Amino acid sequence: MTSNQVNEYRRRFMAGLGLAAGATLAPNFILRSAQAADVVARPDNEPASSAKRWGMLIDANRLTDGGASMVEACKREHGWGNDPQASAEQQPQWMRVVKVTDKHTKHSFTLPVMCQHCENPPCVDVCPTGASMKRADGIVYVNKHTCIGCRYCMMACPYKARSFVHEPLKDQKPHSPRGMGTVESCNLCVHRIDKGQLPACVEAAPHAVIFGDLNDPESRISQALKALGGTQIRADLGLNTGVRYLNI
Amino acid sequence: MFSTLKSILGVVACAWILVGCEAAPPPTNLAPAKEKAAQCVEPTEDIRKNHMAYLMQHRDATVIEGIRTKQHSLVECINCHVTPTRADGSAVHYEDKDHFCASCHTYAGVKIDCFQCHADRPDLASQTNYQHKLGSAESYHFSTKLSASPALSAQDMQAITSGVVQ
Ligand code: SF4
Ligand code: SF4
């Protein structure tokens, strides 16, 4: 068996398990864990379609480490965070752990914050070259071939989700090109989603995250959102984010 | 006696220095790459002249639309044509004359900026489908020519084990 076949087998096995479990549970019970079956691979020659919109639901209560392992997984996957000449403030940051404390009650919690993949992304609005773009399936990222490094999008993003690469780099990950003079941010692991894999950070915290298609009312993420709700950070901005949180 | 010794030493030293001069960087070995070019994703003449157009078209289709076919993908060019390391284990980068892309770009005086962002050599550690020239699992390069899995000749085996094959 090649490793692909093994994965395929596992996927089907897990999907089978999911069905079996679903049948015995009350219908409104939501299994809160990421499953590979939530993402279906698209054929290589097929463009991304607006029939789908990818999203993520993160349960802050279930993140025992506050999201640190998700950040680590993202660093490993894309190779950011250790640019050799950048100072600590200059290091790119695709995802970070944010601590929030209520001034009155002193109650505090942490949540991982990355690009929220807004439906109406301000970063795309302000980009003078069209390099900051939203793909048909709702993923927002930077087309570095046309990015001129003006950093308007960094200013426009209400979530401080974007970073700038300050120095020449070498030995980038082949699936994740990064280079001096361009802006970068979480791209929802677009290279993995297209292959039918979960984003790296989701894989690192499977018990706390559900990933899937927000446009499909039958998808587990849509059902979870319907049953449990889910918070957008800065919902007042009306950006309709693709990343939602529970228990924040 | 002493002066004879001195002159002999001088000659030896001169010879030593001359030998040192001759030990220029080893010539670029393009044989494996040339061999592969014969079975490139497009006819050799075409790909030599038009690879940039293919790449440009492919990059837009991939980044903007999400089309991820492999035929004209830069990562696949690198996988096939660039060795991850030299025989001595050192890294080969676009700045080096013996890098596959640089070997021609330097000659033609063409400076490209692909490798300011893109990896200029395969990342073996994280890339499971790195294509070895022979017997690659993803053999779309050869699919038109080979129906069964390619049998390795004794010569192939020797080439592989000697580390000559990129
Ligand atoms: S979170 Fe920021 S970078 Fe991401 S889509 Fe919204 S505005 Fe753009
Ligand atoms: S989806 Fe991918 S790029 Fe985005 S934060 Fe997670 S690991 Fe990083």
Side-chain angles (χ1 to χ4, degrees), chain A residues 114-118 121-124 132 140 156-159 161-162 185 239:
Chain A
M114 68 292 210
C115 172
Q116 304 288 299
H117 300 278
C118 312
C123 57
V124 173
S132 186
V140 179
C157 174
Y159 303 102
R162 296 206 153 171
S185 60
L239 301 174

Side-chain angles (χ1 to χ4, degrees), chain A residues 1-182:
Chain A
M1 237 192 227
T2 68
S3 67
N4 275 349
Q5 280 171 312
V6 172
N7 283 342
E8 178 60 23
Y9 170 77
R10 274 197 199 127
R11 199 166 295 153
R12 266 189 271 144
F13 180 69
M14 294 308 283
L17 272 189
L19 280 183
T24 57
L25 292 165
N28 63 346
F29 184 86
I30 307 294
L31 283 171
R32 235 179 294 165
S33 72
Q35 284 178 12
D38 290 335
V39 195
V40 184
R42 216 179 54 245
D44 281 349
N45 58 357
E46 213 175 83
S49 113
S50 55
K52 284 193 189 301
R53 185 181 174 214
W54 297 114
M56 200 188 282
L57 176 62
I58 303 171
D59 186 340
N61 272 0
R62 291 184 172 221
L63 284 172
T64 42
D65 59 358
S69 61
M70 292 178 78
V71 176
E72 279 313 307
C74 184
K75 278 188 187 174
R76 262 202 314 279
E77 180 71 16
H78 298 280
W80 57 268
N82 286 311
D83 290 3
Q85 291 157 43
S87 65
E89 301 78 45
Q90 286 175 320
Q91 289 291 348
Q93 210 175 35
W94 291 27
M95 189 193 214
R96 66 194 197 281
V97 174
V98 173
K99 188 174 179 197
V100 187
T101 307
D102 187 304
K103 273 188 196 147
H104 300 295
T105 62
K106 301 284 179 276
H107 170 70
S108 66
F109 60 87
T110 56
L111 72 166
V113 177
M114 68 292 210
C115 172
Q116 304 288 299
H117 300 278
C118 312
E119 188 186 13
N120 313 306
C123 57
V124 173
D125 266 358
V126 299
C127 179
T129 68
S132 186
M133 55 168 275
K134 188 172 77 162
R135 208 170 78 156
D137 54 7
I139 303 179
V140 179
Y141 55 46
V142 182
N143 179 351
K144 291 165 200 179
H145 300 118
T146 38
C147 176
I148 52 170
C150 71
R151 288 166 266 186
Y152 286 2
C153 60
M154 291 174 67
M155 295 293 145
C157 174
Y159 303 102
K160 207 178 161 194
R162 296 206 153 171
S163 313
F164 188 71
V165 182
H166 291 263
E167 61 191 286
L169 298 177
K170 255 198 171 64
D171 283 335
Q172 297 90 333
K173 304 282 176 192
H175 55 256
S176 189
R178 317 176 43 232
M180 180 164 81
T182 59

